[in-house]
Amino acid sequence: MSVEAPAATGNMGEPHPRFDARLKVTGGARYASDMPVDNPAYAYLVTSAIARGRIVSINLGEAQNVPGVLHIMTHENTSKDVKDSKLFSDGGFSGTSIIPLQSDKVWHDGQIVAVVVAETYEAAREAGYRVKIEYEAEQPSATFESNGVQVQAAADVKKTHEDPKVGDFDGAFASAEVKVDATYFTPTQHHNPIELFTTTCAWAGDKLTVYEPSQTMYGMKNGIASQLGIEPEQVRVVSNFVGGAFGSKGSLTPRTALTAIAARRVGRPVKLVATRQQGFTIATYRAETKQRVRLGASRDGKLTALSHEGWEVTSRPDNYMVAGTDATTRMYDVANVQSKVSIVHADRNTPGFMRSPPELPYMFGLESAIDELAYALDIDPIELRRKNDTMKEPIKGLPYTSRSVMQCFDEGAKSFGWSKREPKPGSMRDGDWLVGLGCAMSCYPTQMAPSSARVRLSQNGELRVETASHEIGNGAYTVIGQIAAERLGVPYEKVSVVLGDSDYPAAPVSGGSITTASVCNCVAEACDAIRAELGINDPKGDVLAALKSRGRGAIERYAEWTPKGVPDGALAKLYSGQAMPTGGTKDKERIMFAFGAEFIEVRVHQRTREIRVPRIVGAFAAGRIVNPRTARSQLMGGLIWGVSSALHEATEIDKRAARYVNKDLAEYLVPVNADIDQLEVFMIPEEDHEVNPLGIKGIGELGNVGTNAAVANAVYHATGKRIRDLPIRLETLLA
Amino acid sequence: MINFQYSRPGDIADAVRQIAADPRAKFIAGGTNILDLMKYDVERPAHLIDISRLPLTGVEETASGGMRIGALVPNSDLSYHPLIEARYPILASAIRAGASQQLRNMASTGGNLLQRTRCLYFYDVATPCNKRAPGSGCSAIDGINRQNAILGTSDACIATHPSDMCVALAVLEAKVHVAGPAGERVIAFEDFHRLPGKTPERDTNLAPNEIITAIELPARGFAKNYTYIKIRDRHSYAFALVSVAAALELEGKTIKEARLALGGVAHKPWRNKEVEATLNGQPATRESFRSAADALLRDAKGFGHNDFKVELARRAVVRALTQAAQGTPQSQSNKKIV
């Protein structure tokens, strides 16, 4: 199917095709493991067969006899080589504090227990299969309700954590005329980017080059330096294209340092391409959550009380949490709010960021509960949201810089045909199929981080932008180039953007949907500096003519940009790889979010109960849309992921062994083309110059928030069965 | 993957000689399953005998009005063959319900019969599995068993056979032609796959030194009243939770002959001829179909996660028989809801 690019309306930019589209479909884009290195050796990981216990013995005899094996790393010869591994969320760089090969201890299933290096990948893998490890296994704790898990209140383990609350929830809930009290579950999920977790390390003297798909060039540069005990200046990280990341490549995993050490030991570059199965345990994932939501309302549909409690699984040593109550307590006008997040330590690898880390699970709870309340009140779910819409968040009373959620609902409802919906569950049918229509709110905090960039305008009309940001499928090359072209009045075709190399000026992690807002505002500043240098203040003035008339060959400007309210020293932190996003709920004077409304039609077969999704409509308002074409793709991908998170995706855990069992793309389901039929994305024009000078809100994660609730709400409408445990599978509808 | 020898036999006799000479050898045709198994370290053949160039790619009519399909005919070619589409649409439909287009392009007819189970534990060499490592135990019985069998299981194994094509071949009562050191023989389709019993490591009654040469279809194709329904978690590239091949011969509104095979529920395509016979002479109504479905699933037993398959299979049987009777088979190409 081929569709026209969406027209630019309101304050939107031009729908330029992606700079890298052709490169990607013709194989011209080089990913990290494609980068040529001289005479590489190949690494293969051996991972643990148990989730808890220790290694009693390792027999390498058979493995070492495989022709071509150069070296095998185990804890017996590597325990002192990796220095530290402080967690990303604690100001470090790592996705886990567990450093493999440090000792005989096994923290989780699938932990790296040996690394084989050989002349060929095949020899390394064969030897990997022949490494014989004896374990002393202990009974592991797999997940909620497993024996031996340790539960801690988030506020007790993380000093920056707040459990938002205001008013008197208990009193208001007790006296509420209508109540909802329900418990929801979201499953373990893995990112499964098509590009596997790869690392290539090449030493030249004491200088290390790391080719690794990453969302954080400077984080990786500084992180790997600290793990290896060398200076950041000795490390260069290159990753021009990333074949899907979704958060999984946003923090350092243990494989990078191990590959660097392997390369040093064998005296030549080492390439590691971990397998799809290993990707489930050597990187991060979205942990399962349990949530209890209580809502109280007056008979006429005014919310009076809201409580959201969440429990999240994490590893034994790490206090990773997503704490989505930060957002869910601020979505509606309600005077009495309480919330609490707890973490549950189990014998698992440490979870981490996955597209909309807090909002995807927590908005499922909230937006399902809102739908339940709408039924309890016999009020249309959109009207219930309208009654409780607000322009200021209830916890601190901070104003939203902009909030166009009801415009999204109204536009979306019109296109979706919401008015034809017969509200009674099970009342709409088409032949053998029960029809269900559901909706939910989407939101994502508008966040930004300090950035730097260099822009050069040459007299031949070429404009070059350099910044160590990341093309993770977000359209970064394209939108950054567009802003530069627009700002200097140069044709887009004359712009070249280079990204993904830590030799360029520092850019923040491409996570939290911050890249476009952060980098584009910085590039605009550099362009403005070029204008100022040339004395061209008129935005329509010809900078190139001015450059030539002054006899200049080129002008180059380096700019640093910090979002409003960020303290001094932020740029130094950016260069040390530790710039944290600000904005969203973190600002002291205002609250910044992008919003959307999502509509889902489901069909459920009246006999065999298969669930199909013939129609998806999403309407979003997110400030200035730099490129409506790339934006639509992002939002479309998000909506499909949202359906996936409702109906398909779940990592199955064998609780006896705390072991993931469906570790490939045949058994870990995501939708195929045939599962997604009609899909419409609307972008509602919205201007918001409070968020940042260019008025950009991030959209990378907006699309997949709320979709799971919209699907569950539609399934309820079709069948009268409220499913509170994802994914929704046909067996729950058979009974 | 462990290093292996590779050879390419010149003819069928040579292929049989080679496999008979080396107990650690395996045939490779399309490679859509054996290569995965080698990558997962489930199979460690010392020798791969590449039969993909043997002259077994014909699709021909037989003297008795049936068809003979060479063992190396790709699944895609078979499902789009005009005579198969016209006379055996249930087979064409079942093939298209399986795997993905790319896999169907590579997979061979004979290889489809020999694909191994998709039980999660069979693929995870760190876990016990009687099929992979006889005597080590079954991890699925008390483990994650949503996809596993509900009929014909044993204490040793609750794996299912994953093929869609074979479910249709069971209904059509195909014959499997094989060649071995002692010459050629023919195995009735119902005798080809085995139940797990105490020897779940053996999926079929094909001897280790035999090769499948052809599948023979009898003349009757049930092209008028048939359907293949596959119930799964997504529209394509997913194994069946339950599938049903239903074929009817009707006289007016009365059933003259009924055939039913279930996929995704047992170690082999599941048929019960006694139950089928109870439909003969009955009116083609929901009531008849319901009682047949109840009888077919009477001895079914779930293991926890897959308990639902019992009821799902009942409903799928009724739905399939209804579609077959109405002459409105399930489309495998138009995935949209109609």
Side-chain angles (χ1 to χ4, degrees), chain A residues 125-126 129-130 277 605 607-608 610 612 654 656 659 664 667 669-670 674-675 729 731 734, chain B residues 1-3 39-41 121 124 126 139 143-144 146-147 233-235 286 308 315 319 337:
Chain A
R125 181 160 63 174
E126 174 165 354
Y129 288 164
R130 295 181 189 276
Q277 293 71 29
H605 195 273
R607 290 198 218 294
T608 42
E610 299 110 295
R612 301 294 184 232
D654 187 323
R656 299 168 299 180
R659 186 170 176 90
D664 60 40
E667 305 294 348
L669 300 189
V670 298
D675 290 301
R729 286 174 169 161
E731 55 261 43
L734 274 175
Chain B
M1 196 183 286
I2 302 291
N3 222 348
K39 289 178 187 171
Y40 279 80
D41 203 24
Y121 299 97
D124 184 351
S139 297
I144 306 280
R146 183 168 181 265
Q147 299 179 18
D233 291 316
R234 65 179 169 191
H235 264 346
R286 259 181 69 73
F308 75 95
R315 295 189 192 190
R319 189 176 159 196
I337 292 160

Side-chain angles (χ1 to χ4, degrees), chain A residues 515-538:
Chain A
T515 295
T516 303
S518 309
V519 178
C520 288
N521 275 293
C522 182
V523 168
E525 272 199 16
C527 293
D528 290 351
I530 290 174
R531 264 183 186 285
E533 165 93 15
L534 292 168
I536 307 285
N537 297 320
D538 176 3

Side-chain angles (χ1 to χ4, degrees), chain A residues 599-619:
Chain A
F599 296 82
I600 298 284
E601 176 178 332
V602 300
R603 300 284 174 109
V604 177
H605 195 273
Q606 63 165 345
R607 290 198 218 294
T608 42
R609 300 281 156 170
E610 299 110 295
I611 308 160
R612 301 294 184 232
V613 178
R615 230 150 47 91
I616 306 168
V617 172

Side-chain angles (χ1 to χ4, degrees), chain B residues 32 47 63 79 94 114 125 138 144 153 186 209 235 239 250 288 304 307:
Chain B
T32 55
H47 179 185
S79 86
L114 298 176
V125 295
C138 174
I144 306 280
T153 55
V186 178
N209 55 9
H235 264 346
F239 295 97
L250 299 176
S288 312
D307 290 348

